[in-house]
Amino acid sequence: MEATVPDERPSAEGPATFREVFAQREFRVVFTAGALSWVGDYVAKAAVTLLVYQQTRSVALSAAAFAVSYLPWLLGGPLLAALAERHPYRRVMVACDVIRMALMLLIALPNLPVPALLVLIFAATLANPPSQAAKSALMPQILAGDRLVVGLSLNASIGQAAQVVGYLLGAAVASINPTVALLFNAATFGLSALLVRVGVRNRPATMTSAHRSHLLRETAQGFQIVFGTPVLRAIAVLVFSALLFSIIPEGLAAAWANKSSRGGMDAGTAQAVIMVANPVGYVLGGLLVSRLFGPTRRLALMRPLAVFSPLVLVPALFDPPPLVVALLAALCGFAVAGMMPMANGLFVQALPDGFRARAFGVMATGVQVIQGFAVLVTGLLAERFSIPVVVGVWSAAGVLLMTVAALRWPDKQTVDDAIAKAAAANAEPTPDLGGTAADGTPAGTDLRPADGHRRHAVT
């Protein structure tokens, strides 16, 4: 049966509504499954760190149990994400959920040695890159036009909300019985797999076996198309730069809460207030900007919001109390969330179908590396200088960087041309010539839909 194409919404129209987005049955399924997995993941993180600490009384090992979940992205995120391009996205998502469910059940076994626990956690998180890459690549096949932008905003917002709920729920449940929290996570993965298997239509892989090369070469093509295409490169720079600064309050919250004037709060409360502020601001920004402004206005706001995101943190120089720090962090999260769905939407439109999962792997890995780098560097600087000075100066540098990125943003014609080229690539096969095309698209890869039929490009 030929694939149906989601309705397009011209960019000049008003914003798509939440009702329109949730009217798509497959989006409701993917949204619900993602929310379940995210909440379960954060519950498990809280539980695992406590479980390791209870067994070892070691803060370092407890922190290692938390940090190990990020290693797959750093060690091989793009390579793992490239695997998703080779198989139907629904199959990848279901398989990854089932694998993670099984490994979480093993982690929940009583009296498991800590080394074995860490190995199992690492193995479970190896499924994250291909699963998230498949989900990202599937979204444009479910939603189109402004509905895609609103859908991306809803997904990002639920991810942030799940972080807050998961950490709070995980801390509460884990303090009673960490095993229960781990079993809860296994159950969320199982339910997510069932929902996706039943509620998402099976689509063929975007890369057929006839067009496969070496996995390393396919991974390199992901980097090549992201950083070799001017529009995609500009979006990547804007996104990476925004996250380079917005993560700082959350990353330094523990030390900040203990070293600054706390305005009558105890250190634990101050830390919690600062840490949840950015996700809360992100949720509000993503929902409000996507709902209140149309596509044209959102596009116009994207660069000012990018500059505003580090600018709002500059007042940290004056060592404000935790509630003010939290307000600044929330405003920063609001600004980042306001620009991010539009940036994601443009990225998807300017990207040929056959590269979506790989490009997502590149971007997701970059996000992990950038945020880790920012927290590490500012943490080292905070050993010599006061945290307010470090955050304020770091953010002021961010204003300069974001201003340069905004000024160097491609003009409208360049963006339109990139979207048109991606649309043409989605409709027609690319000759197998090898090398790289003039617009940065890796040649030698057939961008024709795997079912052999033409389909309208998502714009």
Side-chain angles (χ1 to χ4, degrees):
M1 182 175 66
E2 185 168 339
T4 58
V5 180
D7 293 336
E8 302 269 350
R9 172 179 287 271
S11 62
E13 291 190 12
T17 65
F18 296 150
R19 178 177 295 181
E20 288 175 337
V21 174
F22 280 112
Q24 299 286 339
R25 178 174 177 270
E26 287 185 292
F27 176 78
R28 294 197 305 270
V29 170
V30 173
F31 179 86
T32 304
L36 284 169
S37 297
W38 276 323
V39 170
D41 253 353
Y42 289 119
V43 166
K45 282 184 179 180
V48 165
T49 53
L50 179 59
L51 185 64
V52 171
Y53 183 74
Q54 286 177 345
Q55 290 186 15
T56 65
R57 296 297 170 182
S58 168
V59 176
L61 284 175
S62 179
F66 182 90
V68 74
S69 62
Y70 294 97
L71 282 180
W73 283 110
L74 302 180
L75 298 180
L79 189 69
L80 293 167
L83 288 172
E85 217 85 75
R86 294 182 165 203
H87 306 282
Y89 296 139
R90 185 184 73 170
R91 185 187 304 168
V92 172
M93 294 168 67
V94 171
C96 289
D97 277 344
V98 171
I99 290 170
R100 289 182 290 189
M101 178 187 70
L103 290 171
M104 279 297 155
L105 290 174
L106 291 176
I107 293 171
L109 291 174
N111 302 318
L112 200 66
V114 170
L117 191 67
L118 295 177
V119 169
L120 288 173
I121 294 169
F122 177 76
T125 53
L126 283 173
N128 289 350
S131 175
Q132 292 183 31
K135 178 182 175 181
S136 175
L138 178 66
M139 287 295 293
Q141 298 181 356
I142 297 174
L143 298 172
D146 195 49
R147 293 175 185 173
L148 174 61
V149 177
V150 175
L152 292 171
S153 177
L154 286 168
N155 266 332
S157 296
I158 195 61
Q160 295 293 319
Q163 181 176 353
V164 176
V165 172
Y167 280 155
L168 294 177
L169 180 61
V173 175
S175 63
I176 301 170
N177 190 340
T179 300
V180 172
L182 294 169
L183 292 175
F184 173 81
N185 190 25
T188 62
F189 282 131
L191 185 55
S192 173
L194 180 62
L195 285 172
V196 172
R197 178 62 180 82
V198 173
V200 174
R201 184 167 55 83
N202 192 35
R203 296 169 173 86
T206 57
M207 182 189 297
T208 65
S209 57
H211 301 121
R212 291 180 186 174
S213 57
H214 192 281
L215 187 59
L216 288 175
R217 181 186 177 192
E218 293 165 11
T219 303
Q221 287 174 341
F223 282 93
Q224 195 173 2
I225 196 168
V226 170
F227 295 108
T229 307
V231 171
L232 299 182
R233 182 172 62 245
I235 295 170
V237 169
L238 202 69
V239 169
F240 292 159
S241 299
L243 296 177
L244 187 63
F245 303 96
S246 63
I247 190 65
I248 300 305
E250 186 178 344
L252 301 182
W256 207 341
N258 280 277
K259 292 184 178 181
S260 68
S261 56
R262 296 195 289 269
M265 290 185 182
D266 62 84
T269 302
Q271 177 184 347
V273 166
I274 295 172
M275 289 192 76
V276 302
N278 190 277
V280 169
Y282 196 102
V283 171
L284 293 175
L287 296 179
L288 291 178
V289 173
S290 294
R291 185 64 191 93
L292 296 178
F293 299 104
T296 302
R297 181 63 59 84
R298 268 190 253 121
L299 182 60
L301 286 173
M302 189 169 70
R303 283 175 285 173
L305 286 172
V307 176
F308 182 75
S309 59
L311 178 63
V312 75
L313 294 176
V314 173
L317 274 168
F318 303 105
D319 193 15
L323 281 178
V324 177
V325 173
L327 176 61
L328 299 178
L331 289 173
C332 179
F334 187 99
V336 172
M339 58 154 278
M340 199 67 76
M342 196 66 203
N344 288 343
L346 284 176
F347 192 86
V348 167
Q349 293 173 38
L351 186 67
D353 285 348
F355 294 92
R356 281 179 176 154
R358 282 174 281 177
F360 172 83
V362 172
M363 292 296 292
T365 301
V367 165
Q368 299 290 336
V369 172
I370 284 291
Q371 292 185 109
F373 170 81
V375 173
L376 177 62
V377 171
T378 53
L380 291 173
L381 290 172
E383 291 289 330
R384 298 193 59 184
F385 308 98
S386 71
I387 292 178
V389 169
V390 170
V391 175
V393 173
W394 183 267
S395 301
V399 174
L400 294 176
L401 176 62
M402 295 303 284
T403 301
V404 172
L407 291 174
R408 292 180 62 84
W409 184 259
D411 57 43
K412 184 178 185 299
Q413 187 60 50
T414 302
V415 174
D416 290 345
D417 288 346
I419 293 173
K421 287 178 182 178
N426 293 338
E428 298 288 349
T430 299
D432 189 0
L433 301 176
T436 305
D439 64 352
T441 303
T445 301
D446 193 343
L447 300 178
R448 176 178 51 198
D451 56 9
H453 296 288
R454 289 180 180 229
R455 62 168 176 259
H456 297 294
V458 177
T459 58

